[in-house]
Amino acid sequence: RQLVVTLAIFNCLGRIVIGWISDTVPIPRVFFFTLCLLIMSLSQFISVFITTTTSLYITSIGTGFAYGGLWAIDACVISEEFKMTNFGKIFGFLATAPAISSFIFNGIAGLVYQKYVNHDNQNGNNLCYGSKCFKETFIITGIVTLVTAIVSICFFFGQKN
């Protein structure tokens, strides 16, 4: 429960800090969007090496902060980069991204977990113990988030030219 609270607190801080900085620093908001994606990717890759509860707090802080920062500036990025043409449609697609990705990546996490589950038919328990149960999932989500950050970087530099 404390990890969820930590994630929520840093989600709020990410929204405040990234939103405030993106309003005050004369740098395009796409840069901050990309920065949040890189923080998210780093948090996912750090999760691969989790060995203690403290490690979980570090990744919860990074993930929460990055997720909050992304939601703080996504509407601004859309309006600045695409103007107001089709804003509702683009924002609607963006708003469905967490739901779609939750569906996809929860399915992947379940498959990875089942791959390593200890099938104890005597007690009816199908449990997995250790980092092997989630390591591959974090690698996959880290790679996907990194690819998204690279696409954002290409978009950022493509817009300048």
Side-chain angles (χ1 to χ4, degrees), residues 73-160:
I73 59 173
D74 61 353
C76 296
V77 169
I78 292 169
S79 66
E80 287 177 357
E81 300 303 324
F82 299 101
K83 308 303 176 221
M84 295 308 284
T85 307
N86 299 317
F87 177 82
K89 184 180 1 175
I90 295 169
F91 187 75
F93 282 118
L94 183 65
T96 61
I100 293 169
S101 62
S102 290
F103 181 74
I104 293 168
F105 291 108
N106 283 339
I108 291 170
L111 291 172
V112 170
Y113 185 87
Q114 286 299 318
K115 178 177 163 183
Y116 294 105
V117 73
N118 180 13
H119 299 285
D120 183 3
N121 293 331
Q122 182 179 7
N123 295 327
N125 296 329
N126 292 325
L127 302 174
C128 185
Y129 300 99
S131 63
K132 67 180 182 243
C133 308
F134 56 83
K135 189 177 283 191
E136 289 176 29
T137 303
F138 286 122
I139 291 170
I140 293 166
T141 57
I143 290 169
V144 169
T145 310
L146 184 60
V147 167
T148 307
I150 291 168
V151 168
S152 182
I153 290 168
C154 292
F155 181 78
F156 175 69
F157 287 111
Q159 291 293 78
K160 285 186 151 192

Side-chain angles (χ1 to χ4, degrees), residues 54-71:
T54 306
S55 303
L56 284 171
Y57 280 103
I58 293 168
T59 59
S60 293
I61 288 168
T63 301
F65 187 85
Y67 191 75
L70 287 169
W71 280 107

